[in-house]
Amino acid sequence: MITTSNKSTEVAAEPTLALSGAGGLRLFTADEYQRLADTGVLGEDDRVELIEGRIVRMAAKNIKHAMATKRANRHFTRLLGDRVVVCVQDPILLNDYSEPEPDIVLAAPPEDRYFDHHPTPKEIYLVLEIADSSLPYDRDVKCPLFAYNKIVQFCPLNLQNRELEDYRQPSRNGYRRKQTYTEEEVFNLVAFPDLSIKVKDLLPPVKAMAKRRKK
């Protein structure tokens, strides 16, 4: 059954106000963060992202997470082809202080347009996060951040309950619309409303996970 809610996902504090530096915190800009990577202070093996000026360590990927990421990448690539650029765990630039690295991003083509910058909100059709242990963080931190920065559609893929949460209609105070789909249901994309996507096609197969648990 589809669960629908029109209740706004409230933001406790506007992201721009949270960047005031109160309390003596050293907040980084996206340019400074990029220079840390360019100079090798942050390496490719460092699982971090920039969230509201703070360098945040990302959760480690378990088997379910890795499998779901591969399946989502393959499914969106097959379904949409050249109509999107599928970015897998690559940075996006939300604003001057936030450069997260979502699991899957569907961005506007062509790929060459990102030669000199990471995808920005106006170029992003969908952000999908594979959510297992990170589900509370995705809901409470990333969801309001994406809404504030006008990401048109944000979908945490809930591996725990095998369902997908679909947030759309972004505003400064959060997303105005949320629907939850079970694994047997289908959802569409804001950018491609005529396409139907089965949640099950993005999730790790039940048999594969059951087999692994027996080992």
Side-chain angles (χ1 to χ4, degrees):
M1 178 181 292
I2 301 174
T3 303
T4 305
S5 172
N6 291 319
K7 184 178 179 181
S8 175
T9 53
E10 293 271 319
V11 182
E14 292 186 350
T16 49
L17 298 180
L19 301 176
S20 61
L25 292 174
R26 171 63 169 91
L27 301 175
F28 292 89
T29 67
D31 285 343
E32 291 172 331
Y33 179 68
Q34 186 60 55
R35 284 198 292 274
L36 292 177
D38 291 342
T39 57
V41 175
L42 293 176
E44 291 184 2
D45 294 333
D46 290 312
R47 293 268 303 155
V48 295
E49 58 187 350
L50 185 68
I51 303 293
E52 297 188 70
R54 297 166 177 83
I55 298 175
V56 178
R57 189 177 301 279
M58 294 188 287
K61 295 181 291 184
N62 59 25
I63 297 295
K64 289 190 296 181
H65 187 290
M67 184 179 290
T69 303
K70 292 183 180 72
R71 283 174 64 85
N73 175 25
R74 185 167 59 249
H75 190 67
F76 284 126
T77 299
R78 183 172 60 243
L79 188 66
L80 291 163
D82 294 337
R83 286 182 284 179
V84 300
V85 175
V86 182
C87 307
V88 182
Q89 296 172 343
D90 290 332
I92 60 174
L93 182 63
L94 292 182
N95 56 45
D96 289 341
Y97 290 90
S98 291
E99 193 175 296
E101 298 187 16
D103 291 306
I104 298 288
V105 169
L106 303 185
E111 197 172 84
D112 321 3
R113 73 189 291 165
Y114 306 112
F115 174 75
D116 60 353
H117 71 282
H118 297 309
T120 60
K122 290 183 178 179
E123 299 169 309
I124 293 171
Y125 299 144
L126 171 75
V127 170
L128 178 82
E129 288 285 14
I130 310 299
D132 193 359
S133 61
S134 67
L135 185 59
Y137 183 74
D138 291 332
R139 284 174 175 163
D140 299 338
V141 177
K142 286 192 169 180
C143 186
L145 182 65
F146 290 144
Y148 189 90
N149 287 281
K150 300 181 181 178
I151 296 296
V152 295
Q153 187 173 15
F154 169 52
C155 293
L157 184 65
N158 184 340
L159 300 187
Q160 298 175 12
N161 296 337
R162 296 187 64 81
E163 61 189 21
L164 179 131
E165 298 176 14
D166 181 4
Y167 296 88
R168 49 181 79 189
Q169 298 178 10
S171 75
R172 292 171 69 88
N173 294 318
Y175 284 98
R176 296 189 182 98
R177 183 182 174 198
K178 174 194 173 184
Q179 291 184 222
T180 300
Y181 299 89
T182 69
E183 63 180 308
E184 296 300 336
E185 293 173 324
V186 299
F187 71 105
N188 65 6
L189 302 179
V190 171
F192 304 97
D194 295 334
L195 290 178
S196 295
I197 301 167
K198 184 176 282 191
V199 175
K200 190 174 184 178
D201 290 336
L202 308 178
L203 288 164
V206 174
K207 290 183 179 179
M209 299 318 302
K211 183 178 179 181
R212 177 166 182 80
R213 283 194 294 269
K214 290 179 181 179
K215 290 182 178 182

